[in-house]
Amino acid sequence: YQRRVRGDTVLIAIQSLKLPDNKLIDLYEHIVLELIELRELSAARSLLRQTDPMIMLKQLQPDRYIHLETLLARSYFDPREAYPEGSSKERRRAAIAQALAGEVSVVPPARMLALLGQALKWQQHQGQLPPGTSIDVFRGKAAVKDEEEEKYPTQLSRTIKFGGKSHPECCKYSPDGQYLVTGTLDGFIEVWNFTTGKIRKDLRYQAQEQFMLMDDAVSCMNFSRDSEMLSTGSQDGKIKVWKIQTGQCLRRFEKAHGAGVTCITFSRDGSQLLSASFDQTIRIHGLKSGKTLKEFRGHTSFVNEAQFTADGHTIISASSDGTVKIWSLKSTENLNTFKPALGSSASEITVNSIHLLPRNTEQFVVCNRTNTVSIMNMQGQIVKSFSSGKRQGGDFVCCTLSPRGDWIYCVGEDHVLYCFSVSSGKLERTLTVHDKEVIGISHHPHQNLIATFSEDGTLKLWKP
């Protein structure tokens, strides 16, 4: 029973139980009494005159039925009249609840609901519930898909148009697959429904046109592992951390860096942020303290990416100085430096990004400003290479992996998406994705859905 009885909820909940007539009569009679007390007279009247248990009561115990009709006709409610000697509303409730409990196998409610809640969150995290699916806990689950085979895209699914002055500078899917978020040149952070290509209005703050916002262009973003927090970095060196459900800003780092933030990522436990910048440094910031805790120095140009490695003891970074560096998280010491690009002019070839392989975390994909993307190991050896085969205009500007690492997707200066199969080592497909320079690419965490965004003011979603 709830504090203020909602007859309909109780009655819906018991529909599936096959209760004996006498218990049903007791329950309905009590709900009629409570409705009369609340002066919900028309509801009490329909329940009393139109439901099977009450019609049965009228036939079996007419006096008890007439007693209810009399109370319904009064302009006041007197509990002493309603409940027999020595009884009261609370006692009657308790007795009925006790009687019903005998018909139901009960689990402590908190535990049951907590387990269901966790199960649903896990299904969301696994991408088995499409965004916006509402679940009826009592009726079972939403439609669940089997794990999809990873396939490269061949066709456009949706286009999201931004103004020319407000194209996206960064974009990320949340790890649970629910959200697609963009950060634009004019500082707006927007959450999209990637199925329809429309702004998510089920987030109250967006429905009220109150968007998350930075003072300058949003240059990078990332989610916490539980998809509840979003961190964003901007062109003026600031970082903000947001609660995605409410849009509120949880933390501000006004002086995170001395120049634009190029990359940001949460630590595994969500207590720290790792960021890289045009100021040539990598820093770690504490969410609790709001302070910068550590700094890693050694790159001689822009740091384009920094990530925690799988063991949690080291950091791996990529820079425009042409190197990939490995750092000790504890001592901030530079443990190793690799130059992925081969050849004479290789010294300063920008390394755009690094991507740890999901199935083999001792290896990572390196994308630099050449026509070749490579898989490297932690000792700096090149394990495998993939080339666009183009001499001119085929240099890569951005790259992403499929969730299980079966595919490497690179976009070239020629606005073409190159799809490399890791197992075959071959270029399996090419696809022109934009008219102007492509800024970035992002893969959904468990669907075959890729987002590309460009200076042409669009974000495009591609599917097989």
Side-chain angles (χ1 to χ4, degrees), residues 29-61:
E29 175 188 49
H30 186 75
I31 291 176
V32 168
L33 286 171
E34 291 216 9
L35 287 170
I36 295 173
E37 182 178 358
L38 292 167
R39 310 314 287 156
E40 301 271 1
L41 300 179
S42 63
R45 194 173 294 114
S46 348
L47 213 55
L48 182 59
R49 297 178 185 170
Q50 292 164 25
T51 58
D52 294 342
M54 292 291 90
I55 292 165
M56 206 184 315
L57 176 69
K58 190 175 183 178
Q59 290 158 355
L60 299 174
Q61 304 177 35

Side-chain angles (χ1 to χ4, degrees), residues 88-250:
S88 67
K89 176 165 73 177
E90 277 63 33
R91 282 188 189 153
R92 195 80 191 108
R93 272 185 176 193
I96 292 170
Q98 190 65 44
L100 291 180
E103 303 292 328
V104 187
S105 51
V106 178
V107 174
R111 181 166 153 251
M112 186 67 174
L113 286 172
L115 286 171
L116 287 167
Q118 284 168 351
L120 291 176
K121 203 153 169 50
W122 174 245
Q123 281 194 310
Q124 257 179 0
H125 180 67
Q126 290 296 301
Q128 294 168 332
L129 304 179
T133 313
S134 66
I135 304 294
D136 184 333
V137 172
F138 296 101
R139 290 214 184 97
K141 59 184 182 184
V144 171
K145 284 209 285 289
D146 294 329
E147 196 169 77
E148 289 186 304
E149 181 197 343
E150 297 194 334
K151 294 195 182 95
Y152 55 74
T154 63
Q155 55 179 323
L156 188 61
S157 163
R158 282 271 174 270
T159 301
I160 299 175
K161 289 195 171 90
F162 296 77
K165 289 198 175 70
S166 69
H167 65 253
E169 281 286 313
C170 53
C171 133
K172 275 279 186 293
Y173 287 98
S174 57
D176 64 6
Q178 295 288 300
Y179 304 114
L180 172 69
V181 185
T182 55
T184 58
L185 194 60
D186 53 6
F188 280 89
I189 299 156
E190 293 160 304
V191 188
W192 301 88
N193 176 333
F194 48 83
T195 316
T196 61
K198 302 247 188 314
I199 282 276
R200 292 271 300 244
K201 292 288 173 83
D202 56 335
L203 295 168
R204 192 119 144 256
Y205 57 98
Q206 292 201 148
Q208 295 167 350
E209 301 280 319
Q210 293 167 344
F211 293 95
M212 299 179 279
L213 196 62
M214 300 291 274
D215 301 333
D216 205 333
V218 187
S219 48
C220 57
M221 58 173 52
N222 224 327
F223 277 92
S224 56
R225 267 179 82 220
D226 61 6
S227 302
E228 298 199 348
M229 288 188 291
L230 175 76
S231 57
T232 54
S234 70
Q235 209 51 56
D236 56 6
K238 292 178 184 163
I239 288 174
K240 286 184 179 178
V241 179
W242 310 87
K243 191 176 166 71
I244 196 89
Q245 269 300 316
T246 62
Q248 85 191 90
C249 180
L250 302 173

Side-chain angles (χ1 to χ4, degrees), residues 55 82 95 225 271 339 409 462:
I55 292 165
R225 267 179 82 220
S271 69
K339 285 204 165 165
Y409 298 109
W462 304 91

